[in-house]
Amino acid sequence: MNIVLIGFMGSGKTSVGRKLAEKLQYEYVDMDPLIEQKVGMTVGEIFRKKGEKKFRKLEKEILEKLVQQKNIVVSTGGGVPCQPGNMKLINKNCISIYLQMDAIALFERLKPRQARRPLIRDLSEKELKQFINTTLAKREKYYLKAKFIVDGSKRNENEILRLLEA
Ligand code: S3P
């Protein structure tokens, strides 16, 4: 069975995913680097040169292949669950876990990590706060389709891992 971590940018999918895979002795797969390898461009370049629509298409193609594999932990990009059909595909084939984080915690985590994320890289602090609030409000209904929900706002990675092991 595969485990798929979903959640907003900056919610800790990569670091939790890596550790979870290590514990379970599963292979760890991060979707963004996989797309970058496939296209030979960074996520930022794909957005700039090919557009977001193409990026979303690439995400879907990669997701369709990943869900057919066995015993992998996948960290998805924050937009993956919000594209038509993706949560259905994930939940049909995998155990999905939503790493839930409130807007304040996300802002603190994303502020120093804007550069490699095309959707937020050029935003001022005020704009970043607004972006997180409005985008989280739009996306959460998709994230909440996950089979398990872990509140990560006030927990560190190790505490989240312990919860997942329980
Ligand atoms: C995106 C999240 C990013 C990346 C791209 C778009 C999004 O992944 O896929 O910049 O739409 O939320 P992370 O969630 O790993 O930052």
Side-chain angles (χ1 to χ4, degrees):
M1 190 46 119
N2 298 326
I3 296 178
V4 174
L5 295 173
I6 65 169
F8 206 81
M9 286 177 259
S11 56
K13 290 164 294 185
T14 302
S15 40
V16 171
R18 226 180 246 136
K19 289 192 171 173
L20 187 61
E22 211 177 285
K23 289 227 150 130
L24 296 171
Q25 299 201 312
Y26 279 17
E27 190 191 332
Y28 172 68
V29 181
D30 194 331
M31 283 184 66
D32 278 346
L34 214 59
I35 294 171
E36 292 179 334
Q37 271 171 30
K38 181 176 169 173
V39 185
M41 286 184 206
T42 64
V43 170
E45 285 168 337
I46 302 173
F47 267 72
R48 221 173 28 254
K49 296 183 181 158
K50 297 185 175 277
E52 182 173 349
K53 209 169 159 194
K54 173 73 181 170
F55 178 75
R56 300 300 175 197
K57 195 163 167 253
L58 289 163
E59 277 184 330
K60 196 176 198 56
E61 282 167 19
I62 299 257
L63 182 69
E64 280 166 352
K65 291 214 175 86
L66 287 175
V67 296
Q68 288 167 27
Q69 293 190 31
K70 282 206 175 69
N71 299 345
I72 55 172
V73 174
V74 182
S75 291
T76 56
V80 169
C82 317
Q83 298 306 307
N86 283 358
M87 275 314 291
K88 209 170 178 184
L89 189 65
I90 292 171
N91 280 336
K92 193 173 158 209
N93 298 284
C94 315
I95 295 173
S96 53
I97 301 170
Y98 171 28
L99 293 185
Q100 191 175 40
M101 208 167 263
D102 62 44
I104 296 167
L106 287 170
F107 174 73
E108 290 307 325
R109 289 174 59 97
L110 283 171
K111 213 171 27 163
R113 302 184 177 98
Q114 285 178 243
R116 65 161 204 89
R117 293 181 162 104
L119 292 176
I120 58 168
R121 59 176 293 172
D122 299 322
L123 303 185
S124 66
E125 283 200 5
K126 194 172 163 216
E127 288 167 335
L128 178 62
K129 268 188 194 156
Q130 278 167 354
F131 174 88
I132 293 170
N133 281 322
T134 54
T135 313
L136 187 60
K138 274 190 242 154
R139 289 183 169 183
E140 191 140 58
K141 64 172 182 286
Y142 300 103
Y143 296 154
L144 289 171
K145 290 182 182 171
K147 286 185 193 156
F148 296 96
I149 297 166
V150 180
D151 182 359
S153 297
K154 292 182 182 64
R155 293 189 170 99
N156 65 32
E157 280 160 28
N158 291 328
E159 288 166 331
I160 292 175
L161 277 179
R162 255 178 264 130
L163 271 183
L164 292 177
E165 278 167 4

